[in-house]
């Protein structure tokens, strides 16, 4: 990169330890746009070498935080650009530069700096959790893992490419698997079956390639865990995610509670659907269509409508959310439509220096797109609220709380998705959409439990390295958590393909139980808002503004919730969802 953009200046400063040269830190958001590792390293070296004591530690922390914000913003923009067009070699190169070279090297440097703070023994209100996380990360660090993380990131890029290249032939047209989603809501059962099988087909065809990619990831991850002194990657990942307040056994308890507290509700929902549809048995392509045969919900005709109406919806929840959202829209930080070449899925990322989040998703015109936008906007509002905290290290709690922010927004915004509130739907259609949201929440838990149980099994068992054994285990877990409400006869290949479609197994291992924990948190926020709307939203915002400055149970408490793994807690909330569903 050209260093002139950073305005790097040299100046000398006298310190107790003798003459020591400091460099001025960059302050332009584009400072690291084209950076190589050699451009970045001097700043880490400055922070590592600068004399540190209790008098200057706050300046040192502020400099470090600002520098990390710039670096993280550059990496976020590179990965955003790449996910918007995975076919562009220049974007791929930039994404790889950050993902495989800068990030793993920065990770190592960051540990050095974390050690400096911890060794200084400096703690003050507001950074207790920062220090705790630093200590944890230091304990897990082994330099031998640095090249492994870099290789993992490379394999992950390969995986993105396999996904980005997937196409399905549909009525003579080439489509992405995601573009077939609307046909799963078609009232013609034959069309739905074709769409269901068509969506699974590229994953069945690419299964050997995807399984081989997973094999590589598997070996590297287990090695990472052993290098860090753990028996398996499950135990490593649990610690690495700073899960201080619950154990892997709590996750196992969660799975059992899903079986006992949620499965009966799923069965009731499916039975009702089967009766409404007049079928003797439900097939997997019968689950997303309107059971009363009404045409699919059409929330918007074009992306502009999708964007604009969400702004109106948010203004009803809290005017501040409307303002946050408009700022993103005005800054062109919403890339929402599905196009060939785009990476799959949806996410929200923060540009840490500008303190602005961005949203990426693949909208194709279905009800679920509205939900995804509300969800990702919840993450964005979290980012806005937490950005008021001075240090980057204070802002990002684990995913458990991050997903409370997003999942609560789906529920808090639901009353306002109708035309009367500036939203997407007629009153009747809005009711349908709300019912689908609540049904979807209940139906999500079995999926969440099978994804987490699958990963636990994969990394705890030697059979986890065997592609066929993995597929068999997935089938068994789906059977355990989904029961017999849906008839999967003759569809083993499609059912197996489902796990290859789940990006988390490849790109974000063990990031999943958080959704379940968070959904239970979000249901409590929603329950509170049903009793007292203003108070519920206020507690929610206050909790988001705490960022990562409190332990997880306290963040939940601030939102008016508690962590739930037990049958009773889960059962109470599921019953409430069923009660509300009955009113729609
Ligand atoms: Zn999310």
């Amino acid at each position: 990169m050209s260093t002139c953009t950073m305005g790097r200046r040299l100046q000398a400063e006298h310190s107790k330890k003798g003459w020591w040269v400091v460099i001025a830190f960059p302050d332009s958001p584009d400072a690291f746009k084209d950076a190589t590792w050699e451009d970045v390293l001097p700043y880490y070296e400055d922070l590592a070498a600068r004399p540190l004591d209790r008098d200057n530690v706050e300046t040192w922390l502020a400099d470090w935080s600002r520098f990390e914000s710039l670096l993280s913003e550059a990496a976020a923009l590179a990965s955003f650009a790449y996910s918007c067009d995975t076919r562009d070699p220049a974007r791929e190169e930039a994404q790889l530069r950050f993902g495989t070279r800068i990030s793993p090297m920065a990770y190592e440097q960051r540990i050095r700096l974390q050690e400096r703070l911890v060794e200084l023994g400096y703690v003050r209100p507001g950074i207790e959790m920062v220090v705790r996380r630093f200590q944890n990360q230091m304990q897990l660090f082994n330099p031998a893992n640095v090249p492994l993380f870099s290789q993992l990131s490379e394999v992950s890029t390969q995986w993105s490419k396999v996904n980005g290249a997937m196409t399905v032939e549909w009525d003579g047209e080439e489509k992405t698997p995601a573009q077939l989603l609307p046909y799963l809501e078609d009232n013609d059962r034959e069309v739905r079956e074709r769409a269901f099988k068509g969506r699974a087909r590229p994953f069945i065809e690419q299964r050997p390639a995807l399984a081989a990619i997973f094999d590589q990831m598997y070996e590297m991850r287990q090695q990472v865990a052993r290098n860090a002194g753990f028996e398996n990657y499950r135990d490593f990942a649990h610690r690495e995610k700073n899960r201080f307040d619950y154990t892997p056994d709590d996750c196992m308890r969660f799975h059992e509670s899903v079986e006992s507290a949620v499965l009966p509700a799923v069965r009731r929902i499916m039975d009702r659907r089967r009766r409404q549809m007049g079928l003797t048995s439900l097939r997997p392509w019968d689950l997303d269509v309107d059971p009363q045969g009404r045409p699919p919900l059409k929330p918007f005709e074009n992306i502009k409508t999708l964007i604009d109406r969400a702004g109106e919806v948010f203004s009803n929840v809290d005017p501040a959310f409307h303002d946050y959202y408009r700022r993103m829209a005005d800054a062109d930080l919403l890339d929402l439509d599905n196009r060939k070449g785009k990476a799959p899925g949806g996410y929200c990322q923060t540009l840490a220096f500008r303190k602005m989040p961005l949203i990426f998703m693949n909208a194709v015109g279905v009800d679920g797109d509205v939900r995804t936008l509300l969800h990702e906007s919840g993450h964005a509002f979290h980012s806005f609220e937490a950005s008021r905290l001075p240090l980057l290290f204070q802002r990002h709690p684990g995913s458990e709380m991050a997903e409370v922010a997003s999942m609560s927004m789906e529920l808090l915004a639901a009353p306002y998705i109708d035309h009367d509130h500036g939203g997407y739907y007629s009153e009747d259609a809005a009711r349908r959409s709300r019912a689908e949201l609540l049904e979807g929440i209940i139906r999500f838990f079995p999926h969440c439990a099978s994804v987490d149980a699958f990963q636990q099994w994969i990394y705890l068992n030697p059979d986890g390295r065997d592609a066929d054994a993995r597929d068999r285990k997935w089938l068994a877990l789906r059977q355990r958590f989904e029961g017999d409400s849906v008839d999967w006869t003759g569809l083993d290949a499609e059912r197996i393909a489902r796990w290859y479609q789940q990006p988390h197994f490849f790109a974000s291992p063990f990031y999943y139980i958080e959704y379940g924990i968070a959904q239970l948190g979000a249901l409590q926020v929603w329950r509170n808002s049903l009793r007292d709307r203003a108070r519920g939203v206020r507690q929610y915002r206050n909790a988001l503004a705490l960022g990562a400055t409190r332990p997880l149970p306290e963040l939940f408490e601030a939102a008016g919730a508690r962590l739930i793994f037990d049958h009773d807690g889960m059962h109470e909330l599921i019953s409430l969802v069923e009660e509300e569903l009955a009113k729609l």
Side-chain angles (χ1 to χ4, degrees):
M1 73 182 286
S2 55
T3 47
C4 58
T5 56
M6 298 191 290
R8 195 192 285 175
R9 301 180 309 270
L10 290 175
Q11 67 186 117
E13 190 174 288
H14 191 60
S15 84
K16 277 176 235 150
K17 292 184 183 171
W19 285 97
W20 155 71
V21 178
V22 285
I23 53 177
F25 276 53
D27 51 15
S28 145
D30 291 330
F32 293 124
K33 185 169 171 286
D34 303 309
T36 62
W37 175 242
E38 288 67 36
D39 299 314
V40 171
L41 181 61
Y43 300 101
Y44 278 116
E45 285 181 336
D46 174 274
L47 290 161
R50 198 190 295 183
L52 187 65
D53 54 44
R54 281 164 183 273
D55 294 332
N56 65 14
V57 62
E58 288 291 342
T59 312
W60 179 83
L61 271 171
D63 282 354
W64 180 21
S65 167
R66 206 161 62 102
F67 160 69
E68 292 283 6
S69 302
L70 283 166
L71 191 59
S72 120
E73 177 155 331
L77 283 171
S79 96
F80 178 53
Y82 174 66
S83 45
C84 287
D85 187 358
T86 56
R87 297 165 305 179
D88 181 338
R91 292 177 186 215
E92 184 183 343
E93 191 280 324
Q95 197 268 142
L96 279 170
R97 181 158 41 83
F98 282 101
T100 65
R101 291 193 282 281
I102 298 180
S103 290
M105 303 293 272
Y107 164 69
E108 189 171 11
Q109 295 294 323
R110 213 169 282 141
I111 297 286
R112 277 170 77 192
L113 302 182
Q114 292 174 352
E115 275 168 2
R116 292 198 82 188
L117 184 73
V118 170
E119 275 161 19
L120 190 66
Y122 179 74
V123 188
R124 64 157 168 85
I127 66 163
E128 301 97 328
M129 288 306 296
V130 174
V131 173
R132 188 170 182 198
R133 281 192 299 269
F134 282 4
Q135 265 166 339
N136 186 47
Q137 294 303 321
M138 279 164 51
Q139 285 160 8
L140 298 183
F141 179 73
N142 182 326
N145 281 336
V146 176
L148 281 170
F149 287 134
S150 160
Q151 286 170 39
L152 270 164
S153 169
E154 238 164 273
V155 179
S156 185
T157 306
Q158 270 178 42
W159 164 79
S160 295
K161 268 171 109 168
V162 172
N163 270 286
M166 281 182 182
T167 55
V168 188
E169 173 95 5
W170 184 263
D171 294 340
E173 249 185 273
E174 204 178 60
K175 290 189 180 287
T176 63
Q179 282 171 329
L180 294 192
L181 274 174
Y183 300 101
L184 287 175
E185 299 179 22
D186 199 289
N187 283 309
D188 183 336
R189 202 179 190 200
E190 186 269 334
V191 171
R192 293 200 304 272
E193 178 174 349
R194 218 152 45 85
F196 175 82
K197 291 181 173 168
R199 239 190 119 211
R201 193 169 309 123
F203 293 93
I204 296 173
E205 283 166 5
Q206 292 295 323
R207 187 260 188 194
L210 291 169
I213 286 175
F214 191 84
D215 284 340
Q216 289 184 54
M217 291 176 158
Y218 180 87
E219 294 303 335
M220 285 190 259
R221 285 173 185 155
Q222 297 284 38
Q223 189 58 49
V224 161
R226 285 191 294 271
N227 288 346
F230 291 85
E231 265 176 41
N232 58 71
Y233 186 72
R234 193 277 309 261
D235 291 347
F236 171 82
H238 195 87
R239 274 283 297 281
E240 197 267 331
K241 292 182 174 306
N242 300 312
R243 293 176 176 174
F244 303 132
D245 303 289
Y246 62 98
T247 65
D249 281 346
D250 287 325
C251 299
M252 300 297 190
R253 203 149 59 91
F254 185 97
H255 306 162
E256 283 159 20
S257 301
V258 167
E259 276 186 285
S260 64
V262 185
L263 252 58
V266 173
R267 210 165 292 133
R268 284 189 286 273
I269 287 172
M270 291 302 177
D271 271 354
R272 189 170 58 232
R273 169 173 283 271
R274 188 180 49 73
R275 282 195 310 272
Q276 282 177 327
M277 292 177 76
L279 297 170
T280 45
S281 68
L282 285 174
R283 300 288 269 160
W285 45 84
D286 297 324
L287 309 182
D288 300 304
V289 62
D290 182 66
Q292 297 175 42
R294 293 167 292 189
L297 291 170
K298 268 225 171 317
F300 55 91
E301 291 294 340
N302 55 56
I303 290 297
K304 189 179 178 319
T305 313
L306 171 65
I307 291 177
D308 290 345
R309 301 237 164 116
E312 297 306 308
V313 171
F314 294 134
S315 68
N316 290 286
V317 183
D318 189 321
F321 295 148
H322 172 264
D323 294 348
Y324 293 151
Y325 180 78
R326 285 313 323 174
R327 280 173 58 194
M328 284 192 292
D330 293 345
D332 234 357
L333 292 173
L334 306 173
D335 193 303
L336 308 187
D337 58 323
N338 177 250
R339 301 182 302 271
K340 190 158 179 285
K342 260 178 94 162
Y347 62 78
C348 167
Q349 228 170 8
T350 296
L351 304 179
F353 186 75
R354 259 168 277 200
K355 301 186 174 178
M356 287 281 283
L358 57 82
I359 293 176
F360 171 93
M361 60 180 275
N362 283 282
V364 289
V366 297
D367 182 48
D369 295 333
V370 172
R371 212 159 295 137
T372 302
L373 181 56
L374 299 176
H375 177 102
E376 299 306 335
S377 298
H379 286 306
F381 302 152
H382 197 181
S383 166
F384 277 110
E385 294 291 346
S387 283
R388 294 204 194 88
L389 292 159
L391 299 174
L392 181 66
F393 323 115
Q394 296 174 298
R395 294 178 202 154
H396 301 282
S399 317
E400 299 86 353
M401 189 59 201
E403 298 297 339
V404 170
S406 53
M407 290 172 152
S408 299
M409 189 45 67
E410 296 178 46
L411 288 156
L412 293 173
Y416 310 116
I417 54 174
D418 55 341
H419 291 317
D420 283 354
H421 292 95
Y424 300 90
Y425 294 122
S426 68
E427 193 40 54
D428 191 46
R431 223 173 304 135
R432 263 178 73 187
S433 174
R434 289 174 198 131
E436 281 175 28
L437 166 65
L438 295 180
E439 259 197 45
I441 286 172
I442 293 181
R443 282 172 48 189
F444 170 71
F445 284 100
H447 179 65
C448 177
S450 44
V451 168
D452 189 63
F454 188 49
Q455 306 204 71
Q456 305 252 10
W457 178 86
I458 282 180
Y459 293 101
L460 288 181
N461 283 278
D463 275 357
R465 60 162 50 84
D466 175 341
D468 293 333
R470 286 196 297 259
D471 291 354
R472 282 195 302 273
K473 183 65 187 182
W474 175 253
L475 285 179
L477 284 167
R478 288 309 248 196
Q479 196 57 41
R480 173 181 167 199
F481 289 110
E482 290 181 339
D484 293 321
S485 323
V486 177
D487 176 10
W488 282 86
T489 310
L491 296 169
D492 277 1
E494 283 79 3
R495 203 173 198 185
I496 288 167
R498 182 63 186 85
W499 89 255
Y500 293 99
Q501 288 176 52
Q502 190 69 48
H504 301 75
F505 294 124
F506 295 87
S508 326
F510 282 100
Y511 180 9
Y512 218 79
I513 192 74
E514 291 97 328
Y515 288 115
I517 294 169
Q519 185 65 77
L520 295 166
L523 285 173
Q524 294 171 82
V525 170
W526 172 67
R527 178 197 58 199
N528 300 344
S529 82
L530 293 177
R531 291 171 188 160
D532 181 343
R533 174 148 287 275
R535 183 162 185 264
V537 173
R538 196 166 58 239
Q539 284 180 309
Y540 165 78
R541 272 191 74 183
N542 288 343
L544 302 196
L546 290 172
T549 56
R550 299 269 207 288
L552 183 61
E554 290 180 33
L555 294 176
F556 265 57
E557 203 185 313
R562 71 170 176 95
L563 286 173
I564 290 176
F565 299 94
D566 57 291
H567 168 93
D568 290 351
M570 218 180 270
H571 183 258
E572 184 207 326
L573 292 166
I574 295 297
S575 302
L576 176 66
V577 174
E578 282 197 281
E579 268 167 44
E580 290 295 315
L581 254 176
K583 294 181 195 162
L584 292 167

